[in-house]
Amino acid sequence: MRALHSDAVHSGLTFLNEAGVDPGLDHLLAHDLVHRMQSQLTPSDVDSIDFVSLCGGFPVDAGAFKYKFSWSPLGVLRALRNSSRHIEGGKTIESERSTDAIFPVTIADEPFEAYPNRDSLAYVAPYQLDTPWRLDRFVRGTLRPPGWHKAWQHIFEEVSNASDEQLEALSASLWRSNQYQPGEADRVVLSVQLKARRGQQVVFDETRSIDLKGTAQDSAMSRLVSLPAALAAAWIGAERASAGVCGLPDDPTEMADWLQQLRGLGIHVTRSIKQ
């Protein structure tokens, strides 16, 4: 898509990518946090940065399996084979399987499990964190209920060496036994945290988060995927998006407008500031 940017600009066309919840709203919240930090601190105020962006969708009642499917499980199973790359303790960590790097995390006093998505480092520059500051931690990951890794251990083992045919058979079996039932409520949690230190002192620590539960009429995931896409279509239609290949806005005024529109649609972003 990036290779199409120049041609799109020349033709006056806009190709807007990653306009759902993750990727999508996570980028918007990340840019909002980085802008806030940069508006408050000078480069000399900061030595190191921690950045953690996590998102997951799962049932309100997680059950023994700690997960349910709203469409074919095949994509989820294939994703379990992905490798990953992130920064932890100031070092780049490469994992043959992303779930090998699973870690515990607490969001709003609630425990979860998380694991990195593919290559987190690809987002360092777009988030304007490719600076002289040291990155102690940088990870974009998937969020799951506590106990998910243990409940899925046998799935990991089956997937690791399964043929395409075996993977499709496993997908069909999981779809029969672990799909959402009509009216069953789902939940989506998105949390983006940016922390900055000077020496041992924390000089900036803010989190943006969304925690939405579905209803009998519609799911949380459907709202958080479709409504940002609808806003993006309106944004382009109003000729507020630039020509070329782009994502959700990173301009402070545009971001504030998006957050206000999301609130009007029932998507509330919680702001947490630690002093």
Side-chain angles (χ1 to χ4, degrees):
M1 291 301 297
R2 289 192 185 97
L4 296 175
H5 179 72
S6 295
D7 287 344
V9 171
H10 180 74
S11 301
L13 300 174
T14 299
F15 293 87
L16 192 141
N17 300 263
E18 302 190 328
V21 54
D22 179 0
L25 294 183
D26 59 332
H27 297 330
L28 186 75
L29 300 184
H31 286 301
D32 180 47
L33 283 170
V34 171
H35 169 73
R36 285 267 300 170
M37 181 185 69
Q38 291 177 339
S39 68
Q40 295 178 25
L41 302 171
T42 67
S44 61
D45 291 330
V46 178
D47 294 329
S48 64
I49 295 287
D50 285 1
F51 175 88
V52 181
S53 177
L54 303 171
C55 184
F58 33 80
V60 169
D61 180 4
F65 193 57
K66 305 299 181 181
Y67 194 76
K68 285 199 173 181
F69 301 95
S70 52
W71 57 80
S72 170
L74 194 56
V76 174
L77 297 178
R78 286 175 174 160
L80 294 177
R81 293 175 164 178
N82 290 338
S83 60
S84 67
R85 194 163 69 120
H86 70 288
I87 294 175
E88 192 72 50
K91 298 179 180 179
T92 298
I93 307 297
E94 297 187 6
S95 303
E96 184 177 355
R97 296 284 185 268
S98 58
T99 51
D100 293 340
I102 196 164
F103 57 93
V105 63
T106 300
I107 298 173
D109 297 325
E110 184 177 355
F112 294 94
E113 295 177 356
Y115 60 91
N117 296 336
R118 299 196 183 186
D119 185 8
S120 295
L121 275 64
Y123 290 87
V124 171
Y127 290 170
Q128 300 178 39
L129 293 176
D130 53 338
T131 63
W133 303 329
R134 183 178 70 254
L135 286 176
D136 277 350
R137 193 179 195 197
F138 190 96
V139 58
R140 297 179 71 254
T142 295
L143 203 60
R144 291 288 181 256
W148 173 81
H149 188 259
K150 182 178 180 180
W152 275 54
Q153 195 60 50
H154 68 290
I155 301 293
F156 303 146
E157 294 169 359
E158 289 187 57
V159 166
S160 61
N161 296 309
S163 64
D164 289 344
E165 185 177 356
Q166 290 171 325
L167 210 60
E168 290 175 4
L170 177 59
S171 172
S173 174
L174 290 173
W175 178 244
R176 288 191 297 269
S177 59
N178 292 286
Q179 64 177 285
Y180 280 95
Q181 299 304 306
E184 184 175 3
D186 71 330
R187 179 186 181 193
V188 176
V189 178
L190 168 63
S191 174
V192 184
Q193 181 186 28
L194 180 64
K195 182 186 294 186
R197 295 184 184 87
R198 183 178 184 182
Q200 299 300 313
Q201 181 186 6
V202 175
V203 292
F204 183 93
D205 189 353
E206 295 193 16
T207 301
R208 302 286 181 269
S209 59
I210 296 172
D211 188 345
L212 186 67
K213 293 180 181 178
T215 68
Q217 286 71 44
D218 58 8
S219 69
M221 186 64 76
S222 68
R223 290 180 64 80
L224 283 170
V225 170
S226 62
L227 291 178
L231 290 179
W235 189 50
I236 295 173
E239 298 183 350
R240 293 168 65 181
S242 302
V245 176
C246 64
L248 296 190
D250 56 10
D251 173 79
T253 301
E254 292 283 3
M255 287 191 292
D257 181 60
W258 270 70
L259 292 172
Q260 182 178 359
Q261 290 189 70
L262 288 168
R263 282 195 297 273
L265 294 169
I267 300 174
H268 298 277
V269 176
T270 300
R271 298 170 180 259
S272 173
I273 301 174
K274 293 184 180 180
Q275 302 295 340

